[in-house]
Amino acid sequence: MSLIYKRSSALFNEAKEYIPGGVNSPVRAFNAVGGDPVYVKSAKGAYLQTEDGHEIIDYIASWGPMILGHAFEPVVTAVQEAASKGTSYGMPTALETEIAKLAVSMAPHIDQIRMVNSGTEACMSAVRLARGFTGRDKIVKFAGCYHGHSDSFLIQAGSGAVTFGSPNSPGVTAGTAKDTLLASYNNLAHVEELFVNNPEQIACIIIEPIAGNMGCIVPQDGFLEGLRHLCDQHGALLIFDEVMTGFRLARGGAQETTGVRADIVTYGKVIGGGLPVGAFAARQEIMNHLAPLGPVYQAGTLSGNPLAMSAGLAMLTHLNNHPEVYDDLAQKTEQLHLGIQDVLIEKGIAHQINRYSSMMSVHFCDEPVIDFETAVAGNNDWFKKYFHGLLERGIYLPPSAFESYFLNNALSEKDITRTIQATREVVASW
Ligand SMILES: *Cc1c(COP(=O)(O)O)cnc(C)c1O
């Protein structure tokens, strides 16, 4: 049985007439894997209903937010109730304090949090705050890490940017680019060198503490601790971009699981429960520099809007009260990892599987994948074949080798067994 996505293709062709490339975010367009994207009609739990009438298993969870599965009841109810009371006021609400209080109690080393509307905005604002706080201009980012599409970050930005062959996007001025210093993930000596060569000029290091935008890449022992040390030594701030990992790896995100303290943390994805939300947080001393308290300006007409805050609050409340979700997710991810690994070993197919909590990626290559360079060395033709083979069997993986799988807790053991079986069928002919 091989599923066909005919209506999706027709819808995509129509979309292309009115929307650039047919999509509102590039990775959705399937350029990395070929073919036409799948159109979703609705979703519930671990399953997507496509416009073609197929029910398929979802391994992207809207790129992270739907950690508890789609249309999770408490979130849906919260949004419905909020909508009936008006969708935006441009005035403060008690709800905003409630979610801020909860978020700050869940994650370590943060006193205050400011809500914005996307992960991009969160990272952009966090860097401005770091520059304002330190009075320095330069930032260090890692090749293959993605921090949204703001100008300073579109320098070897992983996933979408790599897929589209424009690691350095036109439209980013040389003036902006020169303030972004590029380092290699897991290479502490490289970062140290940047500090030595740019004395008292580096405002911050921004990093995905567990990288997810060049596939999943895990920090090696001592790497994050080393960055912490370098920042302390040179008076720079350490920004953890936890847009992907925040509230996904654990209640306290990567700060909790790695035990490394960040100075500023950015959030997105899970914190909005599937609505457009981002946030950045830090200790009081740093947040005091933000308007209206301090001179670093940042604002938003729809920031903290009641629909988004209601969804986020319902999501975080559930996670806070049910931390066992994280163990369940890690266990399911391990089951998937081991199952796929067995199949690939059996067939003698070169591969590396990286996994951390509920993030995972399969790379078709021999060498360990520890940074951007080793990530791009994977066999993309095999990835494409694997992706489409699974899609024909009703399983949706991220449509790029440079994206992490995101498991959701609605996935059953049966779904995972089915995914492993589908893998066996797909590689049987390789
Ligand atoms: C998704 C993501 C972003 C950008 O968030 P948007 O809401 O898409 O703007 C930033 N950083 C990381 C690590 C991400 O995964």
Side-chain angles (χ1 to χ4, degrees):
M1 174 208 61
S2 173
L3 300 182
I4 296 169
Y5 296 86
K6 221 167 155 178
R7 181 165 158 75
S8 283
S9 292
L11 287 167
F12 185 51
N13 282 330
E14 189 187 9
K16 281 192 284 192
E17 286 186 44
Y18 304 102
I19 304 172
V23 292
N24 282 312
S25 192
V27 195
R28 294 180 200 162
F30 273 30
N31 286 34
V33 289
D36 296 337
V38 173
Y39 274 66
V40 181
K41 201 168 186 171
S42 67
K44 180 74 191 165
Y47 308 116
L48 304 163
Q49 306 293 332
T50 83
E51 286 280 0
D52 320 276
H54 307 315
E55 180 175 270
I56 64 177
I57 303 178
D58 179 22
Y59 282 101
I60 70 165
S62 182
W63 302 97
M66 318 316 299
I67 188 170
L68 301 171
H70 292 279
F72 183 65
E73 206 62 49
V75 173
V76 172
T77 306
V79 171
Q80 284 170 339
E81 282 175 6
S84 67
K85 298 180 198 159
T87 54
S88 181
Y89 317 116
M91 291 163 68
T93 59
L95 189 57
E96 291 163 88
T97 310
E98 208 180 333
I99 187 172
K101 203 167 162 183
L102 178 59
V104 163
S105 77
M106 289 172 78
H109 314 302
I110 57 173
D111 298 324
Q112 294 199 325
I113 187 164
R114 169 68 59 86
M115 295 291 170
V116 293
N117 305 291
S118 69
T120 296
E121 251 188 274
C123 294
M124 177 185 91
S125 308
V127 164
R128 184 182 305 140
L129 180 58
R131 285 173 164 153
F133 181 79
T134 58
R136 300 173 178 182
D137 289 344
K138 293 193 193 313
I139 67 170
V140 174
K141 91 167 273 288
F142 294 88
C145 279
Y146 181 66
H147 306 294
H149 62 91
S150 131
D151 286 2
S152 311
F153 304 128
L154 284 184
I155 324 273
Q156 296 212 5
S159 55
V162 178
T163 299
F164 290 87
S166 52
N168 305 292
S169 173
V172 176
T173 66
T176 299
K178 82 167 177 12
D179 285 331
T180 300
L181 307 173
L182 206 60
S184 305
Y185 205 86
N186 276 324
N187 186 340
L188 204 52
H190 192 181
V191 181
E192 196 162 7
E193 199 181 297
L194 292 174
F195 274 108
V196 170
N197 294 337
N198 299 273
E200 293 184 22
Q201 295 171 58
I202 296 174
C204 62
I205 297 177
I206 184 165
I207 187 167
E208 293 180 63
I210 286 59
N213 284 292
M214 41 183 167
C216 172
I217 293 184
V218 180
Q220 291 171 341
D221 280 349
F223 178 57
L224 295 176
E225 291 82 354
L227 296 180
R228 174 72 267 169
H229 181 71
L230 283 173
C231 283
D232 290 341
Q233 202 181 343
H234 296 278
L237 299 185
L238 182 59
I239 302 178
F240 273 7
D241 177 354
E242 296 224 42
V243 171
M244 200 177 263
T245 55
F247 309 104
R248 166 165 284 278
L249 306 182
R251 284 188 287 200
Q255 283 202 104
E256 179 182 325
T257 61
T258 66
V260 177
R261 174 180 61 83
D263 297 300
I264 305 180
V265 187
T266 61
Y267 296 106
K269 299 187 170 125
V270 172
I271 200 176
L275 272 80
V277 180
F280 58 106
R283 60 181 183 271
Q284 187 76 52
E285 176 200 13
I286 296 173
M287 286 312 236
N288 281 347
H289 285 248
L290 203 59
L293 285 177
V296 178
Y297 196 68
Q298 185 280 322
T301 302
L302 292 177
S303 293
N305 102 79
L307 276 198
M309 294 302 101
S310 300
L313 182 61
M315 177 66 94
L316 295 194
T317 300
H318 187 90
L319 293 171
N320 193 41
N321 294 337
H322 300 87
E324 69 277 7
V325 164
Y326 297 114
D327 297 327
D328 288 353
L329 274 167
Q331 210 177 341
K332 288 171 191 180
T333 314
E334 183 181 22
Q335 186 197 345
L336 183 67
H337 173 167
L338 298 179
I340 293 176
Q341 179 174 281
D342 282 349
V343 171
L344 296 179
I345 289 175
E346 223 170 90
K347 280 289 288 182
I349 295 168
H351 70 281
Q352 301 287 327
I353 299 178
N354 288 352
R355 169 169 61 91
Y356 191 100
S357 187
S358 55
M359 292 163 62
M360 176 182 134
S361 57
V362 179
H363 302 259
F364 294 104
C365 60
D366 281 315
E367 298 298 318
V369 175
I370 56 160
D371 57 13
F372 181 62
E373 210 171 289
T374 45
V376 294
N379 186 324
N380 207 39
D381 289 334
W382 285 10
F383 180 83
K384 286 183 200 176
K385 270 166 70 174
Y386 182 50
F387 172 84
H388 282 291
L390 285 196
L391 188 56
E392 283 167 14
R393 288 165 179 79
I395 294 156
Y396 193 79
L397 296 182
S400 160
F402 302 109
E403 301 284 359
S404 170
Y405 301 13
F406 295 105
L407 273 71
N408 71 77
N409 210 34
L411 285 162
S412 66
E413 200 174 318
K414 210 170 125 214
D415 296 327
I416 293 170
T417 309
R418 217 184 104 196
T419 307
I420 296 164
Q421 178 53 28
T423 301
R424 184 169 282 115
E425 290 169 22
V426 170
V427 303
S429 61
W430 290 16

